[in-house]
Amino acid sequence: MRNNIGKNICLFSLLLLFCLASVSVFAEDGYRLWQRYDLIKDTKTLKNYRSQLSQYVIQGNSPTLTVIRKELQLALPNLLGNPISEAKQLSGKGNLVIGTPQNSALIKELPLTDKLASMGPEGYVILTTPVNRKKMVVIAANTDVGALYGTFHFLKLLQTNQNIDQLGISSAPKIKHRVLNHWDNLDRTVERGYAGFSLWNWHKLPDYIDQRYLDYARANASIGINGTVLTNVNANALLLTPVYLEKVKALADAFRPYGLKVYLTARFSAPIEIGGLKTADPLDPQVKDWWKKKSDEIYTYIPDFGGFLVKANSEGQPGPQNYGRSHADGANMMADAVAAKGGIVMWRAFVYSNEMPEDRIKQAYNEFKPLDGTFRKNVLVQVKNGPLDFQPREPFHPLFGAMPKTPLMMEFQLTQEYLGQATQLVYQAPLYKETLDADTYAQGEGSTVAKVIDGSLHSYELTGMAGVSNIGNDRNWTGHLFGQSNWYCFGRLAWDYTLTSTTIADEWLRMTFTNEAPFVNPVKDIMLDSRETMVNYMTSLGLHHIMGWSHHYGPGPWIKDKPRADWTAVYYHRASTEGIGFDRTAKGSNAIAQYFPPVQQKFGNLATCPEEFLLWFHRVPWDYKVKSGQTLWDELCYRYYGGAEGVKQMQQTWNAQAAYVDPERFQHVKTHLSIQEKEARWWRDACVLYFQSFSKKPIPAGLAKPEQTLEYYMKLDPKFVPGI
Ligand code: GCV
């Protein structure tokens, strides 16, 4: 008897342990991103899928096909609650066939030659078609990586409960290089990173391959990202030494099956720092030789090395101008070093000089436009979306459309340096789309930024889109759960910029949370409105660069008297008792002249300038009547208050979602929204009080009084803000 009791206690404890273990294994901490693969809830859909999927056939054994197998083994049994397994032969029904004409005899038999011919190396087709007179779903591509992308697309159809009865999908990327830029330092800090430390554990590499590296690669492959720059553009030359190249090789080997290529940031002065040369002059034969040998060495570690990303002569970084050479001289020297092996150089146009009295936003154009046509064929000039620096709203960068003979690559920032960092919910697809859809008029109406960067406007062969990563080693990857949607939407738009923000938000919500409409619809509205809401409580009507000093956290419109005028806020808003705004018309800095004439006319004329760019281009008196009929001052106040109110509405909508979300993630978002609500009020009150000290006008009736005095806000001095 005693024995039995003992046994029972033992069994019970084991059971309890098992339960606890499963709870912690499946803790809803956001780790699984949009790749959750939970059992499909809708019974009709589930039944339908089960009847159409009973096995999959993959012929061939490459590392990428192995990855596809693993993904299916993870996804299908979980989604369908059925033990779906791999088969060598077709069965009577329910077959999924995946592969290329080269590795799959079944696919080779199909009349797909024409279709696949237009799909390129990464595109795919997903078709419902008879094979040997049996109906089945076929995912076919020209390469294994194309098949992997197609597999993820198919899984997304299941995850989002789409009809798969008669599939006829074909998809190929519009942009060739879809690349994350990590600003990760070798000591694992991340510049402007708000999700913990760097994913790359350099100390344990090359021996220890963390499962996170593979999950990172899986996530990227699922949205078509095909490149990653591992380290900060403020580069450390040590990265190019053998000790680190061994480690980079280990990562590149882990990522390769997922179609993810590795690139490195190159410190321009590396030949001096690690090469023992006296100069880094790009025209010096020894320097050229050094970079060539260094590149060849890198290729011995990583045969498919993607190439270099370079920040030169910007914010104190060394560059060709240190030797009186141009950006093209520097970029070409590096491009020559990697050309034979198919490498590229992504040379950043984010440059502004310390000495220039010019309006800072004009400098990149002034430096790069004259270099058009002088870059090697394997150079992409990487341009930030706007001419300043990832502000909540900027007009598109005037270089887009202005360099018809030089491939330009888009640089977006996923990490929310100026968008509330990781405490705020800001879905950035609308911001990215706004830039991509903007019309440069470079070749008449319809010459959108997207057509510049996809190469169609100026026949660029090389095309690219970069996203400054928001990923760190936090369990949920991005600090704020909704930061994941920015990683997701970047990948989706780099693949196909014609997708709408709504479509992408819809997909992401369904895969990340649930397909239930009473959740998806209101939360999608939160996402779609979130960027405009943030602009309203931070920098409405074209205001810019009024954030906290150095860490860029919180408001700081009063920032002045710093080592450089163009690092202050007063330089940009120019508020006085007469008015506010930066005159960039011909009467002012004439930055407007950098755009094509129709854009100049639109932005340069107070009456036609879109209100969202009003104070970016114009200096406007406080009494100026805006479109709503309000004075500028009143409108500014209404927008600040409206923005803060918008966050309250986001909170209300989210708080009604408890039934649809697991408690852990529900609470995470709820708590972050309450931080955001506080921060929105902080921005509102600090900015309204500060600008009021110039406008000398009352806050419009009906709006609450700010909670503290201006002095109080000016004295706030947050310490240890992450990401500096
Ligand atoms: C990596 C801004 C950021 C810097 C960043 C720089 C850049 O100035 O504040 O942290 O440096 O942009 O894009 O190079």
Side-chain angles (χ1 to χ4, degrees), residues 183 191-192 234 311 315 348 350 384 389 417 552:
W183 285 357
E191 182 154 350
R192 311 308 179 186
N234 292 328
K311 171 175 177 177
E315 300 186 327
R348 295 178 86 226
F350 178 70
K384 287 189 182 181
D389 192 12
E417 177 178 358
H552 299 167

Side-chain angles (χ1 to χ4, degrees), residues 156-231:
K156 180 171 64 193
L157 297 178
L158 305 184
Q159 288 173 279
T160 56
N161 295 0
Q162 306 301 305
N163 187 322
I164 59 161
D165 291 350
Q166 266 313 324
L167 294 170
I169 294 169
S170 51
S171 183
K174 293 199 187 320
I175 305 282
K176 199 167 168 191
H177 297 285
R178 307 173 299 278
V179 183
L180 281 179
N181 287 187
H182 288 264
W183 285 357
D184 296 18
N185 300 311
L186 297 184
D187 64 3
R188 294 195 78 178
T189 57
V190 182
E191 182 154 350
R192 311 308 179 186
Y194 312 103
F197 287 92
S198 169
L199 276 187
W200 323 127
N201 190 336
W202 297 109
H203 187 57
K204 290 191 184 176
L205 282 165
D207 302 310
Y208 179 63
I209 298 297
D210 194 322
Q211 176 60 33
R212 280 198 90 145
Y213 304 153
L214 306 179
D215 289 333
Y216 163 85
R218 280 177 57 225
N220 281 322
S222 76
I223 49 177
I225 290 176
N226 66 0
T228 178
V229 185
L230 300 173
T231 47

Side-chain angles (χ1 to χ4, degrees), residues 217-278:
R218 280 177 57 225
N220 281 322
S222 76
I223 49 177
I225 290 176
N226 66 0
T228 178
V229 185
L230 300 173
T231 47
N232 195 350
V233 286
N234 292 328
N236 188 330
L238 274 184
L239 180 67
L240 304 178
T241 59
V243 175
Y244 278 92
L245 291 177
E246 281 279 357
K247 298 170 193 277
V248 173
K249 172 188 161 47
L251 288 175
D253 290 345
F255 296 161
R256 191 167 296 110
Y258 299 86
L260 190 65
K261 225 176 219 196
V262 161
Y263 300 77
L264 295 177
T265 43
R267 184 158 167 86
F268 201 78
S269 49
I272 305 174
E273 288 165 33
I274 57 167
L277 299 189
K278 291 215 158 45

Side-chain angles (χ1 to χ4, degrees), residues 29 40 49 74 119 168 279 352 374 388 398 400 405 513 600 628:
D29 52 17
I40 288 162
Y49 289 168
L74 175 70
M119 289 294 111
T279 176
Y352 59 97
T374 64
L388 182 54
F400 292 116
K405 295 187 215 125
F513 290 101
Q600 278 179 35
S628 65

Side-chain angles (χ1 to χ4, degrees), residues 22-34:
S22 350
V23 167
S24 73
V25 166
F26 296 110
E28 293 290 9
D29 52 17
Y31 183 84
R32 289 186 290 159
L33 294 162
W34 49 89

Side-chain angles (χ1 to χ4, degrees), residues 201-485:
N201 190 336
W202 297 109
H203 187 57
K204 290 191 184 176
L205 282 165
D207 302 310
Y208 179 63
I209 298 297
D210 194 322
Q211 176 60 33
R212 280 198 90 145
Y213 304 153
L214 306 179
D215 289 333
Y216 163 85
R218 280 177 57 225
N220 281 322
S222 76
I223 49 177
I225 290 176
N226 66 0
T228 178
V229 185
L230 300 173
T231 47
N232 195 350
V233 286
N234 292 328
N236 188 330
L238 274 184
L239 180 67
L240 304 178
T241 59
V243 175
Y244 278 92
L245 291 177
E246 281 279 357
K247 298 170 193 277
V248 173
K249 172 188 161 47
L251 288 175
D253 290 345
F255 296 161
R256 191 167 296 110
Y258 299 86
L260 190 65
K261 225 176 219 196
V262 161
Y263 300 77
L264 295 177
T265 43
R267 184 158 167 86
F268 201 78
S269 49
I272 305 174
E273 288 165 33
I274 57 167
L277 299 189
K278 291 215 158 45
T279 176
D281 181 348
L283 300 193
D284 183 299
Q286 277 189 307
V287 174
K288 286 185 187 184
D289 188 52
W290 188 86
W291 279 108
K292 177 75 179 83
K293 288 204 174 106
K294 181 49 72 183
S295 303
D296 289 348
E297 184 191 351
I298 297 173
Y299 280 103
T300 63
Y301 289 94
I302 309 152
D304 56 352
F305 173 57
F308 295 119
L309 168 64
V310 189
K311 171 175 177 177
N313 293 120
S314 170
E315 300 186 327
Q317 293 301 303
Q321 292 175 339
N322 298 20
Y323 307 94
R325 314 296 183 193
S326 73
H327 282 287
D329 293 329
N332 292 343
M333 183 260 305
M334 286 195 182
D336 289 344
V338 292
K341 302 273 185 357
I344 59 168
V345 168
M346 297 167 284
W347 192 270
R348 295 178 86 226
F350 178 70
V351 296
Y352 59 97
S353 134
N354 222 346
E355 286 82 43
M356 297 275 257
E358 269 288 30
D359 177 0
R360 169 169 150 188
I361 72 158
K362 289 170 70 178
Q363 294 188 28
Y365 180 101
N366 288 347
E367 283 201 44
F368 278 84
K369 164 88 182 142
L371 299 176
D372 189 25
T374 64
F375 290 93
R376 295 281 191 272
K377 280 209 156 35
N378 57 335
V379 175
L380 278 152
V381 172
Q382 185 168 309
V383 183
K384 287 189 182 181
N385 60 294
L388 182 54
D389 192 12
F390 300 135
Q391 295 300 295
R393 171 165 274 129
E394 295 190 32
F396 66 90
H397 202 300
L399 273 174
F400 292 116
M403 295 185 68
K405 295 187 215 125
T406 311
L408 298 187
M409 178 167 184
M410 172 64 73
E411 180 175 316
F412 286 126
Q413 192 181 46
L414 281 51
T415 191
Q416 293 173 222
E417 177 178 358
Y418 301 101
L419 313 185
Q421 305 184 351
T423 52
Q424 303 198 9
L425 189 167
V426 182
Y427 170 56
Q428 294 192 59
L431 187 163
Y432 305 157
K433 290 284 290 181
E434 189 172 293
T435 307
L436 292 165
D437 293 345
D439 200 341
T440 69
Y441 284 85
Q443 292 188 358
E445 197 176 346
S447 307
T448 59
V449 170
K451 287 187 186 162
V452 174
I453 63 156
D454 79 355
S456 59
L457 197 72
H458 297 132
S459 311
Y460 302 154
E461 277 173 24
L462 202 55
T463 57
M465 203 192 276
V468 178
S469 153
N470 59 352
I471 303 159
N473 73 347
D474 272 8
R475 275 292 294 176
N476 72 15
W477 302 87
T478 52
H480 194 304
L481 263 177
F482 275 73
Q484 297 177 0
S485 69

Side-chain angles (χ1 to χ4, degrees), residues 396 439-441 584-586 590-610 613-614 617-618 627:
F396 66 90
D439 200 341
T440 69
Y441 284 85
R584 293 190 162 113
T585 67
N590 206 19
I592 201 95
Q594 296 181 336
Y595 290 98
F596 284 87
V599 183
Q600 278 179 35
Q601 279 143 28
K602 186 169 154 201
F603 289 169
N605 180 340
L606 197 52
T608 54
C609 181
F613 299 129
L614 192 65
F617 288 113
H618 299 274
K627 293 200 180 93

